[in-house]
Amino acid sequence: MDFFFLGARRRIRRLRQTFSFEFINRSGSIIDAYTIESGPTTSPQPIPQTGWSLLSVDSEELTREDGAAVNAFDGNTSTIWHTKYAGGSPAHPHDIRIALGDTYQLDGFRYLPRQDGGDNGRIKQYAFYVSNDGSSWGAPVATGSFADNASEQASWFAAPVSGAYVRLVALSAYDGDPWTS
């Protein structure tokens, strides 16, 4: 499983516009011309993962496999975060909090379910939060359900939001088991 956060610029919902101006003297000759462009110039780009660190996680499996929470954002699609199952399995919700290393303007996030062929713990319902200080989270900026497949999926926020910390809460899994992976 891997997460990618999209942002570092505002998503503007208007078309790109171009305005041209010509300055003409009294004899009708063009003495100067200007073109002004406005509107979006870039698409959302992934935020570099190099500065990310784990703020906290409610559960991770470290006994029977390397299911460490940092695997969720290590950039390696063959590693996964898996909640604890050896010696007991805490129930949903499961919570992972990540420090981004800087403040970014976020437009959404992408979720890549585990790519090893397993489907246990695949997130069904989720809530996503953004914070400036890593302790005050407020209302979720996105809620919903992911599709039950191994494809990368995106969740776009209704409006861009600024923050230095993100929190994903897995509310349920498709298989009905208590795990998140």
Side-chain angles (χ1 to χ4, degrees):
M1 165 192 332
D2 271 303
F3 296 102
F4 308 92
F5 305 106
L6 304 171
R9 66 111 190 111
R10 292 185 79 84
R11 186 168 39 140
I12 302 170
R13 295 185 179 172
R14 57 188 163 101
L15 298 175
R16 185 167 183 79
Q17 298 176 345
T18 302
F19 300 96
S20 296
F21 300 95
E22 294 179 339
F23 295 95
I24 303 171
N25 64 18
R26 290 178 189 229
S27 64
S29 301
I30 298 173
I31 56 173
D32 214 343
Y34 295 95
T35 300
I36 300 172
E37 295 183 355
S38 67
T41 59
T42 62
S43 59
Q45 298 298 312
I47 294 171
Q49 292 174 306
T50 54
W52 297 9
S53 62
L54 181 66
L55 183 62
S56 68
V57 67
D58 76 301
S59 175
E60 58 187 349
E61 179 57 51
L62 300 175
T63 303
R64 297 182 89 189
E65 71 173 286
D66 178 14
V70 294
N71 293 345
F73 56 91
D74 66 358
N76 182 349
T77 60
S78 65
T79 62
I80 64 169
W81 162 44
H82 200 296
T83 55
K84 182 176 172 56
Y85 58 86
S89 301
H92 285 95
H94 293 297
D95 181 297
I96 184 170
R97 300 172 190 204
I98 300 168
L100 300 177
D102 204 348
T103 299
Y104 293 93
Q105 193 76 9
L106 302 170
D107 292 306
F109 72 99
R110 295 187 312 210
Y111 161 63
L112 181 67
R114 58 190 297 176
Q115 298 294 294
D116 63 358
D119 63 357
N120 68 317
R122 188 175 290 157
I123 298 172
K124 182 176 183 181
Q125 294 175 302
Y126 67 88
F128 193 86
Y129 301 80
V130 176
S131 171
N132 287 313
D133 62 9
S135 59
S136 301
W137 295 97
V141 295
T143 59
S145 295
F146 291 118
D148 188 12
N149 64 52
S151 299
E152 183 178 85
Q153 300 168 55
S155 176
W156 297 102
F157 306 154
V161 62
S162 179
Y165 301 87
V166 294
R167 174 184 176 200
L168 175 71
V169 179
L171 301 169
S172 63
Y174 272 98
D175 58 12
D177 287 326
W179 310 301
T180 292
S181 67

